[in-house]
Amino acid sequence: QVQLVESGGRLVQAGGSLRLSCAASGRTFSSYYMGWFRQAPGKEREFVASISWSGGSTSYADSVKGRFTISRDNAKNTVYLQMNSLKPEDTAVYYCAASSGRWSGKHTLGSEYGYWGQGTQVTVSS
């Protein structure tokens, strides 16, 4: 099992940057592929980015490609989401998720992930 705790969310102006962190408990962090999702008020949860066990493979939603970067540090049991050129439409609660399944390239569905954090609020003002 793994427990996830997100941090780093706050209010930021459009065009600004934020780095979210997700700290995982457990000694087998490197065996999980990880994802970031977000949910805006009144909207369904949506995929943002995912990363393979080693960090060598990543996938992004079209809406964030070129602006966001997912990375991980297995020595620190942490996955990151660097968000640049933020837009008001990026406002949402951001969730970190983990899966012990086999990495196959994208993993954009929430149902593929068995473990979730509590979320961190990101608000982008115009």
Side-chain angles (χ1 to χ4, degrees):
Q1 288 217 354
V2 62
Q3 293 183 324
L4 306 172
V5 179
E6 303 96 332
S7 62
R10 62 176 176 87
L11 173 65
V12 63
Q13 289 190 333
S17 297
L18 275 179
R19 188 177 81 159
L20 304 183
S21 298
C22 173
S25 65
R27 294 175 291 178
T28 59
F29 176 71
S30 59
S31 66
Y32 292 85
Y33 66 79
M34 305 294 294
W36 284 97
F37 290 76
R38 65 186 182 186
Q39 187 167 21
K43 295 187 176 181
E44 293 188 353
R45 182 179 61 193
E46 64 175 357
F47 168 77
V48 175
S50 59
I51 189 166
S52 63
W53 308 309
S54 66
S57 181
T58 58
S59 181
Y60 295 93
D62 287 343
S63 59
V64 306
K65 201 171 293 184
R67 299 189 297 124
F68 290 11
T69 302
I70 188 171
S71 62
R72 66 190 296 163
D73 185 337
N74 287 340
K76 295 183 178 180
N77 282 13
T78 302
V79 62
Y80 304 98
L81 186 68
Q82 178 66 43
M83 306 187 294
N84 298 329
S85 302
L86 283 161
K87 305 175 181 180
E89 51 263 44
D90 294 318
T91 294
V93 177
Y94 282 71
Y95 297 92
C96 172
S99 173
S100 59
R102 182 180 179 87
W103 174 263
S104 61
K106 291 190 174 181
H107 304 291
T108 63
L109 300 177
S111 58
E112 298 180 273
Y113 298 81
Y115 304 95
W116 293 83
Q118 84 291 344
T120 186
Q121 176 71 48
V122 172
T123 303
V124 184
S125 63
S126 57

